[in-house]
Amino acid sequence: MLNSRTITRERIAAVEPRIRPYVRHTPVMRVDMADFGRPAFPVDLKLECLQHSGSFKARGAFTNLLERQVPEAGVVAASGGNHGAAVAYAAMKLGHKATIFVPEVSPPAKLERIRGYGAELVVGGARYAEALAASEDFAARTGALQIHAFNQEETLIGQGTLGLEIEADLPEIDTLLVAVGGGGLIGGIAAWFAGRIRIVAIEPEGAPTLYRAFEAGKPVDAPAEGIAADSLAPKRVGEMMFPIAEAFVERSILVSDDDIVAAQRALWDRARIIAEPGGAAAFAAMLSGRYAPAPGERVAVLVCGSNTNPANF
């Protein structure tokens, strides 16, 4: 039974040293929004886009493989690309078989990463939901351990270690902007901070999963479209993260595809940071002005994924 009450600071702190040998402590870069054509304002960027496998997902992947019993059939995951790459990377490092199901919207850069880590890759279905159903069928037939991208206790705890690391790097921040797809990242981070800072969700207009859930008071189906559909567009947020978000996420802000592309270009042009659409979404809220910080507010933005080619934007 999924139980969000098991996603605690204590469990996150206990897991962090276990996965530490396998994940990078990613850097922080302070930028001035004046360099991006906005009013002068300092912002700290946490560059989790430099994590192994190209995104924060490595944290949850290693937590699953180290905290759960992996059978001889190995592990299986469904993914828009980043979770699959992370599970494939963790399986390669720990000596397990991995089978990854991805939808047709997954970009070539992510498929190449998954193949490069030695996993068996299965492409099929228009969206993440179809890949998930295929992965569940594979797990039932083979006995492989299924590693869910966001609605899994160990996944949330692993992503929560990024909250621990952000607090160590930036102990004085007031606000953290975090992109949301299924909610595993923001759920784990929010569980770590537990209301001690303001956490704001950023979502594409084409995939407002947490935004719709807040409106409804529970996870509900939402559109799964837009430029970030490969990483921020499941049908709905996870049942497990939603009580955490209700308790500790202040609100959700929607950004347009144009906002996201502008953020990708700006990060590359002004800071030489490569971010995929989902990875740039949180910065898009700052660049577009959709998040307007108060004078003196100490804001950090999580740049959470880099599995793209800068030529694409």
Side-chain angles (χ1 to χ4, degrees), residues 17-106:
R18 192 159 191 205
I19 69 168
R20 175 53 49 199
Y22 304 102
V23 299
R24 290 177 177 142
H25 188 131
T26 51
V28 170
M29 175 188 288
R30 177 159 289 185
V31 299
D32 190 329
M33 292 306 296
D35 293 335
F36 298 88
R38 300 288 302 174
F41 193 88
V43 173
D44 290 304
L45 305 179
K46 176 62 170 173
L47 301 180
E48 190 68 6
C49 52
L50 301 178
Q51 187 54 261
H52 289 301
S53 77
S55 83
F56 70 92
K57 297 277 192 177
R59 297 172 183 271
F62 275 108
T63 301
N64 272 280
L65 268 66
L66 292 168
E67 292 285 300
R68 301 167 71 192
Q69 188 68 40
V70 179
E72 191 174 335
V75 296
V76 60
S79 169
N82 285 342
H83 176 62
V87 170
Y89 176 79
M92 177 187 73
K93 284 292 184 182
L94 297 174
H96 299 297
K97 285 175 56 178
T99 305
I100 310 297
F101 289 80
V102 298
E104 293 159 5
V105 296
S106 296

Side-chain angles (χ1 to χ4, degrees), residues 133-297:
S135 73
E136 289 170 342
D137 179 67
F138 179 87
R141 286 187 288 105
T142 66
L145 178 69
Q146 189 157 25
I147 301 179
H148 198 282
F150 51 88
N151 205 38
Q152 174 72 43
E153 185 175 298
E154 289 80 6
T155 303
L156 281 151
I157 291 167
Q159 319 311 21
T161 65
L162 182 50
L164 183 158
E165 190 170 299
I166 290 169
E167 184 168 31
D169 291 342
L170 300 167
E172 302 302 320
I173 60 170
D174 302 307
T175 304
L176 178 64
L177 306 188
V178 184
V180 173
L185 176 61
I186 201 167
I189 289 174
W192 172 259
F193 281 105
R196 290 176 297 119
I197 67 169
R198 177 185 299 110
I199 295 179
V200 179
I202 313 298
E203 301 184 86
E205 290 175 344
T209 53
L210 185 57
Y211 188 91
R212 290 282 180 90
F214 279 155
E215 286 184 328
K218 61 182 181 180
V220 293
D221 286 355
E225 305 298 336
I227 193 171
D230 64 299
S231 60
L232 300 183
K235 273 190 174 180
R236 57 172 65 189
V237 292
E239 298 280 345
M240 198 171 196
M241 68 76 62
F242 186 66
I244 301 170
E246 277 197 306
F248 301 129
V249 175
E250 183 183 88
R251 66 188 189 275
S252 171
I253 294 173
L254 303 182
V255 293
S256 70
D257 281 1
D258 287 345
D259 293 335
I260 291 171
V261 172
Q264 286 184 280
R265 288 175 176 158
L267 286 168
W268 174 245
D269 289 342
R270 308 300 171 88
R272 279 303 186 257
I273 295 167
I274 296 175
E276 64 186 271
F283 187 69
M286 283 294 300
L287 186 67
S288 66
R290 293 185 188 231
Y291 183 79
E297 185 178 346

